[in-house]
Amino acid sequence: MVLRKIRSFALVATIVLVSGWVGYGVGVKQSAVSSQQSAGGARADMGLFWTVWGRLEDQYLDPKAIDPKKMVYGAIEGMTQALGDPYTSFFPPTENTRSKEDLSGEFSGVGIQLGFVDKTLAVMSPLPDNPAIKAGIKAGDLIIRIKDEQKKVDKDTNGININEAVDLIRGKSGTEVILTIYREKDKEPTKEFKLTRQTILVPSVTLEWVGEKKNIPLLKVNKFGEKTAAEWDKSVKEILAKKTGMGVVLDLRNNPGGYLQRAVDLGSEFIADGLIVSQAGKTETENFRVNRQGRFVGQNLVVLINKGSASASEILAGALRERVGAKLVGENSFGKGTVQEAEELPGGAGIHITIAKWLLPSGKNIHGEGLKPDVEVKYEVNEKDSKADNQLDKAIEVLLNNSKG
């Protein structure tokens, strides 16, 4: 697995067409390769593929538009889309680079994490202090159109995949993109947001001291990426040095997920031993257990979630509730219960394949359902105090009440 540079995601095909000129040459020159049999026994007519390729090459009006590499990439994208799973995606080199930027924590865009609600492009989470959230875009908003005059783009998002959406929304810092947002419950459900792109720097973990005496650690995990382990360790050491004994508020709101292993690592900080999550694949189930001596085992714990909490953050929140009785406060989570495997392909391309569904320690899969909080609190915008956070206030209240009990 390491040699093939594969990573498992919890978060956004088994047949890979040989890319570039090699695939083109083999297909055209070896007519005997006319079909492809899948592992399930079904046989596809590859001769039809090459027939269409030849027709386009011979008859298409603009010969300059015939770009073999782009056509192969387009064919692979179509193949993954045909599965009907928005999380299984092929990434050409540029998009693959951008996908990896997400996990490194630095890119140029408007500051939103994308996902799907009933196969409609949606905002999983707006990132703090960035253009989208400042303009009023919220987790759960549906993006129905993307417009960029400089790129000459005006595109309906029906049928769009993640990598195409990311490519359209991101761009050079200082340029503008217009997102048409749909909110069913608003008086005017459709609204345009004009956003100016900027360099987005997203720390994985932040620490803040909250409560009346500023003696309660609020650990906010924004995603499970490349820097999560180091940033988490630094914050934990600061908490342990202060020795407050008040417990911990773990904030997973608007956390779209990332590396499954990071969720296991963080869960191991609170759970003494045993199962954290199971990954049920095509032929076998893999169990992920506590992998270290936790520094917060036995600590009073409250976890904040909302509709932007997805995938790996749902794994962590669900495991903490089931294994150590952590109270979940906030709103129902997103409901992404599948795991994607990311593989690097020749030429800089990449592919994310849904390889499994993940199960909480109880065996439950929450795909499409999400986690229901123990204490439901709708987030309320305080126009007089931008720093006010009624969900956090409730989490602190629950933490202190548990401490007294």
Side-chain angles (χ1 to χ4, degrees):
M1 296 285 278
V2 175
L3 293 176
R4 294 172 57 209
K5 296 182 181 178
I6 292 177
R7 291 173 177 169
S8 290
F9 287 82
L11 281 28
V12 285
T14 55
I15 302 172
V16 180
L17 209 60
V18 179
S19 64
W21 288 96
V22 175
Y24 172 66
V26 170
V28 171
K29 294 177 181 177
Q30 297 182 9
S31 58
V33 185
S34 59
S35 64
Q36 173 67 48
Q37 188 166 357
S38 72
R43 188 170 292 275
D45 182 6
M46 294 302 294
L48 177 61
F49 176 90
W50 296 116
T51 296
V52 173
W53 185 295
R55 296 285 175 83
L56 292 173
E57 188 176 50
D58 293 340
Q59 300 176 23
Y60 187 67
L61 177 63
D62 182 7
K64 294 180 181 179
I66 303 295
D67 184 329
K69 181 175 287 188
K70 287 184 178 180
M71 290 168 68
V72 169
Y73 287 164
I76 299 173
E77 287 176 339
M79 180 166 57
T80 57
Q81 289 175 19
L83 298 174
D85 173 16
Y87 298 106
T88 294
S89 299
F90 170 75
F91 294 79
T94 300
E95 287 78 4
N96 191 40
T97 297
R98 289 179 178 174
S99 175
K100 290 184 286 188
E101 286 173 352
D102 286 339
L103 292 167
S104 71
E106 183 174 347
F107 56 90
S108 179
V110 299
I112 53 175
Q113 297 284 355
L114 299 174
F116 292 92
V117 174
D118 295 329
K119 297 186 178 181
T120 299
L121 187 68
V123 177
M124 291 180 69
S125 59
L127 304 177
D129 300 319
N130 282 294
I133 198 167
K134 288 178 179 178
I137 289 178
K138 304 175 182 178
D141 283 348
L142 303 181
I143 303 174
I144 60 176
R145 196 167 199 87
I146 303 170
K147 186 176 181 180
D148 185 329
E149 294 180 356
Q150 188 171 353
K151 290 184 179 180
K152 297 181 180 179
V153 169
D154 189 358
K155 184 176 179 60
D156 187 285
T157 62
N158 184 37
I160 200 170
N161 61 30
I162 283 287
N163 51 308
E164 184 181 3
V166 169
D167 185 48
L168 294 176
I169 294 174
R170 288 189 185 178
K172 187 177 179 180
S173 182
T175 61
E176 291 184 341
V177 62
I178 299 173
L179 303 182
T180 303
I181 297 295
Y182 179 82
R183 293 177 189 155
E184 185 177 2
K185 295 182 180 180
D186 284 4
K187 292 182 180 179
E188 297 182 5
T190 303
K191 182 179 179 181
E192 284 190 349
F193 289 81
K194 181 180 287 188
L195 307 171
T196 301
R197 300 179 179 99
Q198 67 180 46
T199 299
I200 311 296
L201 299 173
V202 187
S204 296
V205 182
T206 58
L207 171 63
E208 182 182 351
W209 294 92
V210 297
E212 288 185 9
K213 299 181 180 179
K214 302 297 180 184
N215 60 348
I216 299 173
L218 171 66
L219 272 168
K220 180 166 180 55
V221 184
N222 296 307
K223 62 175 181 239
F224 299 92
E226 301 282 359
K227 301 176 183 178
T228 302
E231 292 175 351
W232 173 267
D233 190 59
K234 180 181 178 181
S235 295
V236 170
K237 287 178 178 177
E238 182 179 332
I239 294 170
L240 296 177
K242 197 163 184 177
K243 298 179 181 180
T244 66
M246 298 302 298
V248 175
V249 176
L250 181 62
D251 190 352
L252 299 178
R253 291 176 295 178
N254 297 325
N255 181 325
Y259 296 138
L260 179 146
Q261 187 59 51
R262 294 289 84 79
V264 175
D265 294 342
L266 269 59
S268 297
E269 293 279 23
F270 297 92
I271 303 170
D273 54 39
L275 185 65
I276 292 178
V277 64
S278 297
Q279 182 174 295
K282 192 173 182 180
T283 59
E284 61 183 6
T285 297
E286 183 177 5
N287 294 322
F288 293 83
R289 301 179 179 277
V290 170
N291 59 18
R292 65 186 63 187
Q293 185 174 351
R295 290 169 286 185
F296 289 139
V297 172
Q299 281 272 16
N300 189 16
L301 174 65
V302 172
V303 182
L304 280 162
I305 60 171
N306 66 3
K307 64 182 67 176
S309 307
S311 201
S313 60
E314 293 174 293
I315 289 175
L316 179 56
L320 291 173
R321 175 161 65 181
E322 291 190 358
R323 292 299 320 281
V324 299
K327 295 296 183 183
L328 306 188
V329 175
E331 300 171 78
N332 207 85
S333 65
F334 188 82
K336 180 177 179 291
T338 58
V339 179
Q340 284 66 46
E341 188 171 74
E343 182 176 352
E344 295 295 305
L345 299 175
I351 192 167
H352 291 187
I353 307 168
T354 297
I355 59 165
K357 60 183 179 180
W358 59 261
L359 309 174
L360 291 172
S362 63
K364 183 177 182 179
N365 176 258
I366 54 86
H367 194 69
E369 178 183 345
L371 296 168
K372 184 177 180 180
D374 300 293
V375 181
E376 186 172 1
V377 182
K378 297 288 185 181
Y379 183 78
E380 297 176 358
V381 178
N382 189 325
E383 296 181 356
K384 296 181 179 180
D385 183 1
S386 60
K387 294 184 179 181
D389 187 339
N390 64 307
Q391 291 178 330
L392 175 59
D393 291 342
K394 176 56 72 172
I396 293 171
E397 178 186 326
V398 172
L399 185 81
L400 294 176
N401 286 339
N402 287 347
S403 298
K404 294 175 183 177

